[in-house]
Amino acid sequence: EMETATDCQACEGSLYRIDAGGTFAAAAKCECATPCSRCGGAGIVVSFDGDSSFAEPCECAALERRIRLYNEACLPSKFANKWIEDLDDRDHTQKEAKYALLSHQDSFEQSGRGFLLWGKPGVGKTHLLCGLVGYLTLEIVFSARYVYFIHFLYYFNKSYS
């Protein structure tokens, strides 16, 4: 398992940090993450069972996978480090949407279904979805992708031409 200084100011013990430079938010391994003492940072350990040996992924490889999934999610950089809990719910509708997504996050099960939120500009739709996608990729280790609806329609239409 990776070793870390739990008092790290940059990552607060998560072993990754999220930066908002560029078009998309980008996660990277924090400098406090030291190479794994089990595999030496290779991500693979060799185990022996009697006369045979086999390689298996080390537990530390999960951090690299979580970071990769987050970066592949293409979250807009403006929403780096935005989480569902952080949304300032100013009215009943925002509060309802926030707690519906928090409930989904807390009891997540893969279903093949997505989310579509609609509303006026500036009410928190992007914030909520980016928070959910960030959580799914970094904490649940589930592949998810943020796509602007207009881009989805473009690619959907292009697939039929």
Side-chain angles (χ1 to χ4, degrees), residues 19-66:
D19 297 313
T23 304
F24 301 115
K29 191 185 298 185
C30 187
E31 291 79 21
C32 74
T34 59
C36 175
S37 57
R38 188 170 176 220
C39 71
I44 296 174
V45 290
V46 177
S47 299
F48 299 94
D49 184 17
D51 292 337
S52 31
S53 61
F54 55 95
E56 60 185 351
C58 184
E59 294 170 8
C60 74
L63 176 62
E64 296 292 336
R65 182 162 190 258
R66 292 166 43 210

XYZ file of all heavy atoms in Angstrom, residues 19-66:
327
model
N -6.049 19.738 -10.274
C -5.672 21.063 -10.755
C -6.659 21.524 -11.816
O -7.234 20.713 -12.548
C -4.259 21.033 -11.340
C -3.221 20.668 -10.288
O -3.272 21.240 -9.189
O -2.373 19.800 -10.573
N -6.830 22.836 -11.908
C -7.797 23.413 -12.832
C -7.138 24.055 -14.047
O -7.780 24.825 -14.742
C -8.656 24.442 -12.100
N -5.899 23.758 -14.338
C -5.238 24.343 -15.499
C -5.712 23.683 -16.779
O -5.977 22.492 -16.810
N -5.862 24.446 -17.835
C -6.269 23.881 -19.121
C -7.774 23.784 -19.275
O -8.547 24.325 -18.499
N -8.203 23.068 -20.288
C -9.624 22.920 -20.600
C -10.332 22.039 -19.589
O -11.463 22.315 -19.190
C -9.784 22.312 -22.012
O -9.091 23.136 -22.946
C -11.243 22.227 -22.399
N -9.668 20.961 -19.175
C -10.284 19.994 -18.275
C -9.550 19.949 -16.937
O -8.342 20.190 -16.874
C -10.268 18.596 -18.896
C -10.987 18.520 -20.211
C -10.299 18.232 -21.365
C -12.354 18.750 -20.284
C -10.957 18.170 -22.591
C -13.027 18.688 -21.496
C -12.323 18.401 -22.651
N -10.275 19.610 -15.897
C -9.665 19.381 -14.586
C -8.743 18.177 -14.713
O -9.029 17.245 -15.457
C -10.755 19.119 -13.549
N -7.634 18.205 -13.988
C -6.659 17.117 -14.093
C -6.216 16.670 -12.711
O -5.841 17.488 -11.875
C -5.449 17.567 -14.903
N -6.296 15.377 -12.475
C -5.816 14.787 -11.220
C -4.401 14.275 -11.441
O -4.045 13.851 -12.542
C -6.726 13.653 -10.777
N -3.606 14.318 -10.390
C -2.235 13.799 -10.433
C -1.882 13.267 -9.054
O -2.454 13.690 -8.050
C -1.256 14.892 -10.844
N -0.940 12.351 -9.032
C -0.475 11.796 -7.758
C 0.206 12.910 -6.975
O 0.980 13.692 -7.527
C 0.504 10.658 -8.013
C 0.831 9.856 -6.779
C 1.892 8.803 -7.006
C 1.486 7.769 -8.008
N 2.481 6.685 -8.142
N -0.086 12.992 -5.715
C 0.506 14.013 -4.855
C 1.975 13.676 -4.583
O 2.361 12.499 -4.564
C -0.270 14.100 -3.540
S 0.279 15.474 -2.492
N 2.762 14.690 -4.335
C 4.175 14.504 -4.039
C 4.388 13.734 -2.739
O 5.436 13.138 -2.530
C 4.896 15.856 -3.960
C 5.016 16.566 -5.286
C 3.728 17.272 -5.716
O 2.871 17.569 -4.855
O 3.566 17.499 -6.924
N 3.399 13.727 -1.854
C 3.557 13.025 -0.577
C 3.436 11.510 -0.726
O 3.797 10.772 0.188
C 2.521 13.519 0.435
S 0.834 12.938 0.133
N 2.947 11.026 -1.846
C 2.782 9.582 -2.059
C 4.144 8.961 -2.329
O 4.762 9.229 -3.351
C 1.834 9.320 -3.221
N 4.599 8.164 -1.415
C 5.891 7.511 -1.579
C 5.685 6.159 -2.243
O 4.600 5.590 -2.167
C 6.592 7.333 -0.213
O 5.741 6.555 0.632
C 6.882 8.669 0.434
N 6.721 5.628 -2.911
C 6.555 4.322 -3.554
C 6.102 3.255 -2.561
O 6.483 3.258 -1.400
C 7.947 4.002 -4.103
C 8.591 5.334 -4.266
C 8.045 6.196 -3.151
N 5.305 2.382 -3.060
C 4.731 1.299 -2.272
C 5.839 0.395 -1.736
O 6.738 -0.008 -2.480
C 3.777 0.510 -3.168
S 3.090 -0.956 -2.410
N 5.739 0.047 -0.472
C 6.749 -0.841 0.116
C 6.525 -2.292 -0.300
O 7.443 -3.105 -0.238
C 6.715 -0.733 1.646
O 5.429 -1.043 2.138
N 5.326 -2.621 -0.794
C 5.026 -3.999 -1.205
C 5.575 -4.309 -2.601
O 6.083 -5.387 -2.845
C 3.512 -4.207 -1.171
C 3.094 -5.625 -1.393
C 1.617 -5.798 -1.095
N 1.238 -7.157 -1.418
C 0.105 -7.494 -1.996
N -0.786 -6.582 -2.290
N -0.159 -8.747 -2.259
N 5.425 -3.355 -3.549
C 5.846 -3.623 -4.934
C 6.938 -2.676 -5.424
O 7.363 -2.787 -6.571
C 4.650 -3.547 -5.872
S 4.023 -1.864 -6.119
N 7.331 -1.717 -4.589
C 8.353 -0.757 -4.998
C 7.867 0.222 -6.047
O 8.658 0.833 -6.749
N 6.562 0.357 -6.191
C 5.998 1.281 -7.169
C 5.742 0.658 -8.521
O 5.274 1.333 -9.438
N 6.001 -0.629 -8.695
C 5.802 -1.292 -9.983
C 4.325 -1.565 -10.272
O 3.927 -1.716 -11.418
C 6.575 -2.609 -10.028
N 3.514 -1.644 -9.213
C 2.090 -1.908 -9.415
C 1.748 -3.389 -9.527
O 0.590 -3.752 -9.669
N 2.757 -4.244 -9.474
C 2.548 -5.691 -9.608
C 3.371 -6.398 -8.532
O 4.518 -6.035 -8.277
C 2.989 -6.193 -10.999
C 2.113 -5.566 -12.069
C 2.950 -7.702 -11.083
C 2.551 -5.875 -13.482
N 2.779 -7.387 -7.915
C 3.510 -8.216 -6.957
C 3.504 -9.660 -7.441
O 2.546 -10.108 -8.065
C 2.914 -8.136 -5.532
C 3.152 -6.787 -4.916
C 1.453 -8.475 -5.521
N 4.583 -10.346 -7.176
C 4.689 -11.752 -7.551
C 4.446 -12.579 -6.295
O 5.058 -12.349 -5.253
C 6.077 -12.067 -8.156
C 6.194 -13.546 -8.472
C 6.308 -11.219 -9.397
N 3.509 -13.493 -6.407
C 3.190 -14.391 -5.290
C 3.563 -15.806 -5.669
O 3.587 -16.167 -6.843
C 1.693 -14.322 -4.984
O 1.320 -13.020 -4.623
N 3.847 -16.586 -4.659
C 4.227 -17.979 -4.870
C 3.210 -18.887 -4.207
O 2.768 -18.637 -3.099
C 5.628 -18.245 -4.305
C 6.681 -17.408 -4.963
C 7.076 -16.200 -4.403
C 7.265 -17.815 -6.152
C 8.037 -15.418 -5.014
C 8.236 -17.037 -6.767
C 8.616 -15.834 -6.203
N 2.833 -19.930 -4.937
C 1.900 -20.925 -4.422
C 2.498 -22.300 -4.711
O 2.337 -22.834 -5.806
C 0.533 -20.758 -5.088
C -0.507 -21.698 -4.523
O -0.292 -22.240 -3.419
O -1.538 -21.895 -5.196
N 3.205 -22.804 -3.736
C 3.863 -24.083 -3.955
C 4.982 -23.955 -4.974
O 5.910 -23.172 -4.805
N 4.861 -24.692 -6.088
C 5.877 -24.671 -7.135
C 5.618 -23.601 -8.197
O 6.412 -23.432 -9.112
C 5.948 -26.042 -7.826
C 6.497 -27.111 -6.898
O 7.207 -26.738 -5.936
O 6.213 -28.295 -7.136
N 4.500 -22.918 -8.129
C 4.197 -21.923 -9.166
C 4.190 -20.510 -8.597
O 3.979 -20.285 -7.416
C 2.864 -22.211 -9.841
O 1.953 -22.821 -9.008
N 4.440 -19.603 -9.495
C 4.386 -18.187 -9.132
C 3.414 -17.482 -10.076
O 3.187 -17.916 -11.200
C 5.782 -17.562 -9.224
O 6.267 -17.641 -10.534
N 2.839 -16.422 -9.599
C 1.913 -15.654 -10.432
C 1.986 -14.186 -10.040
O 2.314 -13.849 -8.909
C 0.486 -16.202 -10.320
C -0.047 -16.273 -8.921
C -0.815 -15.234 -8.402
C 0.221 -17.371 -8.106
C -1.305 -15.292 -7.116
C -0.263 -17.438 -6.818
C -1.040 -16.391 -6.314
N 1.721 -13.350 -11.005
C 1.731 -11.906 -10.784
C 0.301 -11.433 -10.603
O -0.628 -11.920 -11.254
C 2.371 -11.200 -11.968
N 0.136 -10.496 -9.705
C -1.173 -9.901 -9.479
C -0.998 -8.412 -9.247
O 0.068 -7.976 -8.808
C -1.885 -10.572 -8.308
C -1.142 -10.475 -6.999
C -1.815 -11.266 -5.883
O -2.929 -11.745 -6.074
O -1.198 -11.378 -4.818
N -2.030 -7.635 -9.554
C -1.913 -6.189 -9.332
C -1.766 -5.878 -7.847
O -2.411 -6.498 -7.014
C -3.230 -5.625 -9.866
C -3.889 -6.729 -10.600
C -3.301 -8.009 -10.135
N -0.919 -4.942 -7.553
C -0.742 -4.488 -6.181
C -1.881 -3.524 -5.846
O -2.441 -2.863 -6.737
C 0.605 -3.776 -6.038
S 0.971 -3.273 -4.336
N -2.205 -3.443 -4.585
C -3.269 -2.533 -4.153
C -2.968 -1.091 -4.521
O -3.883 -0.304 -4.756
C -3.467 -2.650 -2.645
C -3.992 -3.995 -2.201
C -3.947 -4.167 -0.689
O -3.659 -3.194 0.023
O -4.205 -5.287 -0.236
N -1.704 -0.731 -4.609
C -1.337 0.660 -4.909
C -1.685 1.050 -6.343
O -1.790 2.232 -6.651
C 0.137 0.905 -4.639
S 1.269 0.188 -5.844
N -1.875 0.069 -7.225
C -2.213 0.378 -8.619
C -3.584 1.029 -8.726
O -3.881 1.694 -9.725
C -2.153 -0.886 -9.467
N -4.407 0.873 -7.723
C -5.744 1.472 -7.746
C -5.669 2.999 -7.805
O -6.506 3.635 -8.445
C -6.553 1.028 -6.533
N -4.677 3.599 -7.160
C -4.538 5.053 -7.202
C -4.317 5.527 -8.631
O -4.949 6.488 -9.074
C -3.400 5.523 -6.299
C -3.112 7.025 -6.341
C -4.318 7.831 -5.865
C -1.882 7.343 -5.506
N -3.434 4.862 -9.356
C -3.179 5.234 -10.752
C -4.460 5.106 -11.582
O -4.745 5.940 -12.429
C -2.081 4.351 -11.351
C -0.726 4.507 -10.690
C -0.095 5.863 -10.942
O -0.421 6.524 -11.950
O 0.743 6.265 -10.111
N -5.218 4.042 -11.338
C -6.466 3.829 -12.081
C -7.479 4.916 -11.755
O -8.155 5.432 -12.639
C -7.053 2.450 -11.785
C -8.320 2.195 -12.570
C -8.665 0.713 -12.634
N -9.735 0.526 -13.589
C -11.014 0.335 -13.241
N -11.354 0.279 -11.972
N -11.927 0.193 -14.172
N -7.614 5.276 -10.489
C -8.550 6.326 -10.091
C -8.201 7.649 -10.760
O -9.072 8.350 -11.281
C -8.545 6.469 -8.570
C -9.140 5.258 -7.873
C -8.868 5.175 -6.386
N -9.013 6.411 -5.671
C -8.314 6.711 -4.577
N -7.441 5.872 -4.078
N -8.500 7.860 -3.967
